[in-house]
Amino acid sequence: MNIDLQIAEDLSKDLSKDVSKNLAKGQLDNDFAALLGPSSGGDDTLTALHGLIDSWLLAVQKRLDDPRLEHALCIRLCDLSESQTLNLTYRGKDKPTNVLSFPAQLDEQFAHDDMPLGDLAICWPVLVTEAGEQGKQPLHHLAHLLVHGVLHLLDYDHEADAQAQIMEALEVHILAELGVENPYN
């Protein structure tokens, strides 16, 4: 899967600072810590994060074997303002949210083999706040939001109880393969 990972300009320093702080506290998983090394920041953080996200998406591909997972995916780590604007514009909710999914669905007549899967907008400040409130490592929460968002792009939903059970079971299974605890406990 081709990933376009974007980080909002005003988040770059905060993300590197959060990663460094959590690394110093021993609150990042060992795989990410190993990717970063002791004095990383900026581009190194982006490269390491890209590699980690690639590995998470491979776990999704392994579990689902869906050909759409071969398509390009844009992941944007955004700030509170951008998240709130997107949430208001596309969902009518005037507040930032943790993850928004935008599938690249066109009419059948416009579909083509190299059409992207879609876009995910993940709000880093909301993610960090939620991780703290829930006693999770930020990158574990990021893995959960990424898996959750990708499942939405693949037409999974959690509006009805039966749909929610299927989607949550998939999330729990994929996250367990990544060494991330059940986020619904």
Side-chain angles (χ1 to χ4, degrees):
M1 175 177 279
N2 179 20
I3 301 167
D4 177 16
L5 179 59
Q6 302 174 1
I7 299 177
E9 189 174 323
D10 62 329
L11 273 186
S12 295
K13 292 176 187 167
D14 289 342
L15 179 62
S16 293
K17 190 180 351 172
D18 286 343
V19 167
S20 297
K21 179 175 67 174
N22 287 316
L23 184 60
K25 289 182 182 177
Q27 293 181 342
L28 290 180
D29 58 40
N30 292 332
D31 293 338
F32 193 68
L35 282 170
L36 281 173
S39 62
S40 299
D43 290 341
D44 291 337
T45 300
L46 183 61
T47 300
L49 192 54
H50 197 285
L52 194 56
I53 288 170
D54 271 337
S55 70
W56 295 340
L57 292 172
L58 284 174
V60 175
Q61 283 179 301
K62 179 181 166 188
R63 176 70 177 148
L64 295 178
D65 192 32
D66 188 314
R68 293 177 291 174
L69 289 168
E70 295 297 325
H71 296 225
L73 172 65
C74 178
I75 302 166
R76 179 156 175 88
L77 298 179
C78 59
D79 60 22
L80 292 168
S81 175
E82 184 177 359
S83 176
Q84 183 166 349
T85 299
L86 289 169
N87 204 18
L88 179 60
T89 302
Y90 295 101
R91 296 179 66 223
K93 298 185 179 187
D94 194 12
K95 64 180 184 175
T97 189
N98 55 15
V99 62
L100 292 166
S101 303
F102 300 97
Q105 296 175 343
L106 298 172
D107 291 337
E108 287 295 319
Q109 65 182 346
F110 298 111
H112 51 85
D113 289 341
D114 59 347
M115 187 169 72
L117 179 59
D119 301 335
L120 296 178
I122 299 173
C123 183
W124 185 258
V126 171
L127 177 153
V128 170
T129 298
E130 288 178 348
E133 291 170 353
Q134 298 169 17
K136 298 177 182 176
Q137 295 180 20
L139 287 178
H140 285 188
H141 195 39
L142 177 58
H144 177 220
L145 295 178
L146 178 77
V147 169
H148 185 87
V150 167
L151 289 177
H152 275 305
L153 294 175
L154 296 172
D155 304 318
Y156 287 87
D157 205 347
H158 48 80
E159 293 300 316
D161 287 343
Q163 293 173 325
Q165 288 176 352
I166 292 168
M167 186 173 177
E168 288 175 11
L170 277 171
E171 290 175 41
V172 169
H173 183 80
I174 293 165
L175 292 170
E177 290 179 14
L178 299 173
V180 177
E181 290 184 25
N182 181 342
Y184 296 106
N185 281 348

